[in-house]
Amino acid sequence: MDKFEFSLWNYMAADKYYAAAETLADEWSELGITLGFSPYFEEGSVKSRAFIKELIAACEKRSMQLIVFDKRAFWTNFAASGEEAYRAAVRDALKDFGESDAVRGFYVGDEPPKEDFLVMGAALKIFKSLTDKVGFVNFSRNDALDRAFGTPEAHAEALKKFASCGLDYMANDRYSQLHAKEYEAGFLEAGIDKYFRDLNFFKGVAAACKLPYITSLAAVGHWMFRTPSEDDVSWQIHTAFAHGAEGVQWFFIHQHRLADDYYSYPIDIYGKKSEVFGYIARQTRLFRDKVLAGLNGYRFSRVWHIGKNYGGTPLLKEGDAEYFVWSDHGMNGILTEFSGREGKKYLVVNADQKYPELFWIRGKDNAQYHVWLPPGGAHIVRD
């Protein structure tokens, strides 16, 4: 497996962080972050400018890279001020923060509705004409966008056209996999189905555009989404990876305001870490040591679901892969094929969010063995 990115979202103002930039970089290091995301910079604050520069230096020291959130480079600046002013603003942002190799890029846009695709794409095209730095844009798929585009195919074509403006990553967010309860009949299952549907959809567009794929996962309880348990953190990492994600971006780590509809942040507004912080730190490290290390040099090829399929993923049948996998008690699972120079490797994931399950694995020679996996647990198939 080539480098897998661990990133995050950040909504703090750069002059409102509760400690020094070194502390922020230390928190990211503990979480296993490889691609940081800065608090936002707005012109006029000397403290903010100094903090971003200190953060860049702290990332350099830790061999960590960074996406800078500078409102001068954000697409709304282009929409409000026009091309000439936006070009000048981006040049200033690059001069202030873009010279370090630790700065991989700048945040350009998020979740465009259909009517903003053209203007946000134009902003990205201008940004990319001025630098080879990443211009990071995140997308979503929701009921309003489905209605606006009419068909998934039309939405996919719009994303491909947007990619031609200079996208470096295909990125999306989806949190319905952590619906808190059955608010109405079928609500929990529908949320999981949409999660897998989006993984398949955005991975497919990314593959068509030859772009790496990053997906945002839930790290904070909000609205109708529960605060993740450690099983939820493991489940999200492994299911995203099993569907071809090449990076995850945690939404979000640091509380930036007092709010009624967000709760249980990994790090609260006072700088105190919750249990969720530990879950992410531990499960990231385990994923690196157990899964990524075992699939080094291999890349995602195909995926099937076991027991019940979600999001249009094909259901595994005898003969589909070199191994056939089934669960002992009817729980759902995932089988993913990875390809490398030495052939193929397979990953089994327990796709149930609540219960451990025993999975049987049978090879072509009919030799078989079994493995117990916790909720969201993953196992590389043994030869």
Side-chain angles (χ1 to χ4, degrees):
M1 182 69 193
D2 294 339
K3 184 177 181 180
F4 188 92
E5 297 290 3
F6 298 90
S7 190
L8 73 160
W9 285 98
N10 203 329
Y11 297 94
M12 292 184 295
D15 59 356
K16 296 294 191 294
Y17 180 65
Y18 49 79
E22 286 277 346
T23 300
L24 181 56
D26 281 342
E27 289 168 347
W28 292 350
S29 293
E30 191 175 347
L31 288 170
I33 298 299
T34 60
L35 181 60
F37 198 102
S38 81
Y40 70 80
F41 169 79
E42 257 181 319
E43 285 187 285
S45 171
V46 174
K47 184 179 178 181
S48 291
R49 186 182 301 275
F51 185 89
I52 298 295
K53 287 183 177 293
E54 290 165 7
L55 181 60
I56 292 169
C59 289
E60 285 178 342
K61 187 189 302 183
R62 291 161 179 79
S63 299
M64 184 188 300
Q65 293 199 297
L66 182 68
I67 297 293
V68 173
F69 186 175
D70 185 329
K71 290 192 173 182
R72 291 174 294 182
F74 203 67
W75 78 277
T76 52
N77 188 25
F78 166 67
S81 60
E83 181 174 343
E84 185 176 344
Y86 181 69
R87 281 184 179 275
V90 170
R91 287 192 184 100
D92 288 343
L94 290 166
K95 183 178 179 181
D96 284 340
F97 305 130
E99 294 182 356
S100 169
D101 289 339
V103 174
R104 189 178 298 180
F106 288 73
Y107 180 33
V108 172
D110 182 38
E111 294 187 352
K114 182 182 179 183
E115 59 268 23
D116 287 340
F117 266 54
L118 285 176
V119 65
M120 197 182 291
L124 177 64
K125 197 167 186 176
I126 293 167
F127 176 89
K128 292 298 292 185
S129 73
L130 298 172
T131 180
D132 60 357
K133 299 284 185 181
V134 166
F136 185 80
V137 178
N138 178 69
F139 299 92
S140 67
R141 183 177 171 189
N142 53 43
D143 293 343
L145 279 168
D146 282 347
R147 289 191 296 270
F149 282 108
T151 66
E153 293 77 16
H155 191 175
E157 287 305 311
L159 287 166
K160 292 172 187 175
K161 187 174 181 180
F162 196 113
S164 69
C165 296
L167 270 184
D168 300 279
Y169 296 96
M170 182 59 61
N172 84 294
D173 58 73
R174 166 62 69 178
Y175 312 118
S176 65
Q177 65 274 19
L178 296 194
H179 277 163
K181 64 170 291 184
E182 193 84 333
Y183 287 106
E184 58 189 39
F187 194 67
L188 293 172
E189 285 287 284
I192 294 171
D193 190 72
K194 287 180 178 179
Y195 167 74
F196 283 111
R197 178 204 68 179
D198 282 11
L199 291 177
N200 291 332
F201 176 77
F202 285 100
K203 176 61 179 178
V205 175
C209 297
K210 295 182 170 56
L211 292 174
Y213 171 48
I214 294 179
T215 190
S216 292
L217 304 176
V220 60
H222 63 288
W223 306 344
M224 76 289 288
F225 310 123
R226 65 183 180 267
T227 299
S229 66
E230 186 155 8
D231 285 341
D232 288 331
V233 170
S234 173
W235 187 94
Q236 290 184 99
I237 294 172
H238 289 136
T239 55
F241 178 71
H243 276 256
E246 293 155 283
V248 298
Q249 190 173 15
W250 293 108
F251 177 85
F252 50 91
I253 299 299
H254 299 87
Q255 182 180 7
H256 64 291
R257 63 180 174 87
L258 297 174
D260 294 323
D261 53 349
Y262 281 73
Y263 14 89
S264 303
Y265 306 84
I267 305 176
D268 69 21
I269 204 166
Y270 310 108
K272 303 301 181 183
K273 298 173 183 175
S274 76
E275 290 179 337
V276 180
F277 183 96
Y279 301 158
I280 294 172
R282 182 164 44 251
Q283 290 302 320
T284 295
R285 187 171 182 179
L286 286 168
F287 173 62
R288 270 191 174 135
D289 292 345
K290 182 181 176 183
V291 177
L292 291 182
L295 291 170
N296 186 35
Y298 288 78
R299 296 185 65 82
F300 172 87
S301 178
R302 296 185 292 173
V303 61
W304 302 267
H305 281 187
I306 300 160
K308 178 179 179 179
N309 61 322
Y310 291 93
T313 311
L315 197 62
L316 181 68
K317 304 186 300 297
E318 292 266 13
D320 282 344
E322 294 175 356
Y323 296 89
F324 184 69
V325 181
W326 68 99
S327 62
D328 205 43
H329 305 92
M331 299 301 172
N332 302 318
I334 303 171
L335 179 68
T336 305
E337 178 185 275
F338 294 84
S339 299
R341 291 180 180 177
E342 298 180 6
K344 297 175 182 177
K345 285 192 175 184
Y346 292 85
L347 183 75
V348 178
V349 175
N350 179 4
D352 194 89
Q353 294 185 336
K354 291 184 178 180
Y355 302 108
E357 176 61 297
L358 185 149
F359 287 89
W360 287 92
I361 302 164
R362 185 175 68 232
K364 289 181 178 179
D365 57 0
N366 286 323
Q368 63 187 42
Y369 70 98
H370 63 266
V371 58
W372 276 99
L373 292 177
H379 167 77
I380 297 174
V381 174
R382 300 195 298 264
D383 293 331

